[in-house]
Amino acid sequence: QSALRMSGLVSMNETGAFLFSALQQEHTEDTLRRLLLDNYDTDEETAAQDVRYFVEYLRQNDLLVEE
């Protein structure tokens, strides 16, 4: 519903696009963090922070369906 009301454009960096694509399937924040670690040259803390930030952004904008 919120996505339909949104009248803007969401811009993402490469990591955000990767996470967004991964969320086409159900994942926990921990599995998303692991995906970042497996696919990018990053450390645990940065991966966890990136996932938290991205998921929180989606939540704040009602763009994440959580069941």
Side-chain angles (χ1 to χ4, degrees), residues 6-58:
M6 189 174 174
S7 62
L9 177 68
V10 175
S11 177
M12 294 179 212
N13 63 14
E14 182 180 344
T15 306
F18 176 81
L19 291 171
F20 188 79
S21 178
L23 284 172
Q24 301 309 302
Q25 298 179 24
E26 189 172 319
H27 287 287
T28 64
E29 288 186 37
D30 190 54
T31 59
L32 291 172
R33 179 189 54 79
R34 176 55 47 198
L35 284 170
L36 283 184
L37 289 169
D38 290 346
N39 289 279
Y40 289 90
D41 183 25
T42 190
D43 59 79
E44 291 266 349
E45 184 179 334
T46 302
Q49 181 179 359
D50 287 352
V51 168
R52 279 193 306 272
Y53 176 82
F54 186 74
V55 169
E56 185 57 31
Y57 176 85
L58 294 178

